[in-house]
Amino acid sequence: MNMNDSLQNEALKKWGEAISEFHLPRWDQLPDLELYMDQVIQLVDQYLSPVTTGDKHPLLTKSMVNNYVKLGLVPAPVKKRYTRTHVAFLLAITTLKQVLTIPEIKEAIVFQGRTDGIREAYNFFCREQESAIHLIARQAKGEGVTYPTEPIPFAYLAARTATIAFANKILAEKVISCEIDYVRQGEKND
């Protein structure tokens, strides 16, 4: 391994360490009170910012939330107030839209909600997303990884593969970011 690889690997390892304890709040850990849109957006950003790069674009905006409501992905707020149901939907949508289309997400949410109920579907999504993020954290740290190989019921296959796809996407983005940073650093030193 040359010096260039070592510097890039260190940045990737540091990032892997930072996300190795990533946690999404379960249903019962979400706020059990009515929130205004700005508070919901802030919460979603707070929960997801450890694994996303906000420098490309905002994770969630007011217009996005309004569009999700219009498209039927999220229930309409009551008197401009949002509940834990809204926060749960928006957390899932914000990650899934990185790898699926909005119509696919809508179908998946409806299907999963009918299969398990919203609470259980959301908690399953959280477990799967955390597992996928922890997997790529180990990979970023240079540890060996094994993707899940046990059979999974068809009803859960889309959620598992989408969460793994999201995790792999952010790993690829981070590797590219490390490469770009290294090149820029080299240009400064020339």
Side-chain angles (χ1 to χ4, degrees), residues 132-150:
I133 296 294
H134 296 160
L135 184 93
I136 60 119
R138 289 191 303 275
Q139 197 169 9
K141 293 187 294 184
E143 300 173 6
V145 297
T146 305
Y147 282 85
T149 57
E150 74 277 355

Side-chain angles (χ1 to χ4, degrees), residues 110-143:
V110 168
F111 176 77
Q112 207 69 54
R114 267 193 249 137
T115 301
D116 293 330
I118 294 170
R119 177 189 190 128
E120 288 309 310
Y122 171 75
N123 285 337
F124 175 76
F125 164 78
C126 289
R127 287 189 303 272
E128 289 296 312
Q129 192 62 78
E130 286 173 3
S131 177
I133 296 294
H134 296 160
L135 184 93
I136 60 119
R138 289 191 303 275
Q139 197 169 9
K141 293 187 294 184
E143 300 173 6

Side-chain angles (χ1 to χ4, degrees), residues 9-172:
N9 278 341
E10 279 308 308
L12 194 59
K13 283 180 184 179
K14 192 180 265 188
W15 179 74
E17 281 295 327
I19 65 166
S20 65
E21 298 298 321
F22 176 73
H23 173 74
L24 285 171
R26 297 307 188 264
W27 184 268
D28 292 332
Q29 296 169 324
L30 292 171
D32 187 23
L33 47 106
E34 296 177 339
L35 304 168
Y36 289 106
M37 186 180 300
D38 288 341
Q39 294 169 308
V40 170
I41 291 170
Q42 183 180 2
L43 265 180
V44 169
D45 185 60
Q46 175 187 328
Y47 293 140
L48 296 178
S49 62
V51 295
T52 56
T53 52
D55 58 325
K56 286 199 312 187
H57 49 77
L59 294 176
L60 187 63
T61 64
K62 290 179 183 183
S63 62
M64 288 177 194
V65 174
N66 289 330
N67 285 336
Y68 300 154
V69 170
K70 285 178 191 169
L71 294 170
L73 269 84
V74 178
V78 177
K79 297 181 182 176
K80 297 185 179 187
R81 299 276 181 116
Y82 297 82
T83 64
R84 75 170 53 165
T85 300
H86 295 97
V87 176
F89 275 98
L90 290 169
L91 281 167
I93 292 165
T94 301
T95 59
L96 294 174
K97 74 178 182 181
Q98 306 299 315
V99 293
L100 296 173
T101 66
I102 294 298
E104 290 168 335
I105 293 169
K106 184 176 182 178
E107 288 301 317
I109 286 174
V110 168
F111 176 77
Q112 207 69 54
R114 267 193 249 137
T115 301
D116 293 330
I118 294 170
R119 177 189 190 128
E120 288 309 310
Y122 171 75
N123 285 337
F124 175 76
F125 164 78
C126 289
R127 287 189 303 272
E128 289 296 312
Q129 192 62 78
E130 286 173 3
S131 177
I133 296 294
H134 296 160
L135 184 93
I136 60 119
R138 289 191 303 275
Q139 197 169 9
K141 293 187 294 184
E143 300 173 6
V145 297
T146 305
Y147 282 85
T149 57
E150 74 277 355
I152 185 169
F154 180 80
Y156 304 109
L157 191 56
R160 171 163 294 167
T161 55
T163 56
I164 290 171
F166 171 73
N168 280 313
K169 179 182 184 286
I170 64 170
L171 175 59

